[in-house]
Each structure stands twice: as structure tokens, then as C-alpha cells.
């Protein structure tokens, strides 16, 4: 049993905090600038996209907005209370956003979520099961798919 949240936003915060917290006292005592080698919120956002695709061995097809790669995009709502005021977009994504801020999701250019709601073909058990099957096939069978009877939406 784990208490670690499964969403990407929390997974971005953990390494960011792990790197920064031990060094805070050192920076305060030294009264100097933060070292250039220290990871930034922008770095954490980039890692959340590219590292997952690297681990899944699909980085050649997706993971960045690059010509020739599959377009998988999420659109975040920056007007909710946990993301305003918006001074630094990367810090807002890495440190303040959560799954409630995901307004739209596009996978391979196809809308899967629009205006905070799943699109019709994904919003059913059959649609979700088919979506998981497509994702499993796209990953080359490198992940196990649950039996259709055990999938809950």
C-alpha cells in the first residue's frame, strides 16, 4: 500500500523538493545565488514529459512537441484558485497544478477530454477499455492490461 499520488503533478514535486530542501540552509548561510546546476521548475516539467516516454521506450514517437512526433497534449486551466496569480507558468505547473486543472487532453491529435469532460467515445467502459488496449498495443505490449471485466470507469 502506498500513499504516493499517481498523477504526474505530484511526481514532479517530489524530485524538485528532494533536490531543493537539503540545500536551502546552505543557500541561506552562504547568502549567495542558487547554483546554476540546481533543477528548476521548467526542468521538472520537461522531465515529466520526456522521462516517461524514455522509460516506456516511445521517446522517438512522442514526449515532446517536435515535427514528426505524435501530438499528445494537455491543456491546463490557469484561472482556478490553485494556479492564480500566474507569475511563472512552469512553477505553476510543477508546484501548484493538479488533475483538476486539466481542461483538455489530445492523444495522437484526437480529443479525449474537452472542457473538463471526457469525450463520448472514452466516457464509457467499452471506450475506456478500448483506449487502454490501443495504448498497450502502441507500447508494444510492454505493460499488462487488466481484464475488461475488472476495468472500472
Amino acid at each position: 500500500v502506498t500513499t504516493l499520488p499517481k498523477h504526474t503533478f505530484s511526481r514532479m514535486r517530489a524530485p524538485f523538493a528532494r533536490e531543493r530542501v537539503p540545500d536551502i540552509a546552505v543557500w541561506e548561510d552562504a547568502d549567495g545565488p542558487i547554483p546554476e546546476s540546481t533543477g528548476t521548475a521548467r526542468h521538472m516539467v520537461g522531465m515529466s514529459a520526456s522521462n516517461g516516454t524514455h522509460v516506456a521506450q516511445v521517446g522517438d514517437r512522442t514526449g515532446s512537441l517536435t515535427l514528426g512526433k505524435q501530438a499528445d497534449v494537455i491543456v491546463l486551466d490557469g484561472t482556478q484558485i490553485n494556479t492564480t496569480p500566474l507569475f511563472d507558468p512552469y512553477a505553476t505547473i510543477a508546484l501548484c497544478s493538479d488533475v483538476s486543472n486539466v481542461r483538455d487532453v489530445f492523444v495522437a491529435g484526437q480529443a479525449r477530454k474537452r472542457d473538463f469532460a471526457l469525450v463520448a467515445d472514452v466516457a464509457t467502459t467499452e471506450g475506456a477499455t478500448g483506449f487502454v488496449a490501443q495504448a498497450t498495443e502502441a507500447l508494444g505490449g510492454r505493460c499488462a492490461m487488466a481484464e475488461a471485466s475488472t476495468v472500472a470507469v
Side-chain angles (χ1 to χ4, degrees), residues 32-116:
I34 296 172
E36 292 290 323
S37 61
T38 301
T40 64
R42 184 176 185 158
H43 183 235
M44 294 300 140
V45 170
M47 283 180 22
S48 72
S50 62
N51 284 1
T53 60
H54 175 74
V55 169
Q57 299 176 357
V58 294
D60 59 325
R61 298 189 310 260
T62 188
S64 64
L65 294 178
T66 305
L67 185 63
K69 287 190 175 183
Q70 176 176 303
D72 295 346
V73 179
I74 65 168
V75 178
L76 300 175
D77 176 20
T79 63
Q80 295 180 26
I81 192 145
N82 63 318
T83 58
T84 56
L86 181 64
F87 296 113
D88 178 351
Y90 292 105
T92 299
I93 293 169
L95 303 175
C96 303
S97 297
D98 61 39
V99 294
S100 71
N101 298 109
V102 178
R103 189 185 79 198
D104 303 309
V105 175
F106 298 90
V107 177
Q110 299 288 324
R112 299 295 181 186
K113 183 176 184 178
R114 292 288 258 184
D115 295 320
F116 300 100

Side-chain angles (χ1 to χ4, degrees), residues 8-42:
T8 300
F9 300 105
S10 289
R11 290 182 182 164
M12 276 189 279
R13 291 181 191 108
F16 190 77
R18 185 177 187 279
E19 182 174 321
R20 291 270 177 127
V21 170
D23 293 333
I24 289 173
V26 173
W27 297 333
E28 287 176 349
D29 290 343
D31 198 29
I34 296 172
E36 292 290 323
S37 61
T38 301
T40 64
R42 184 176 185 158

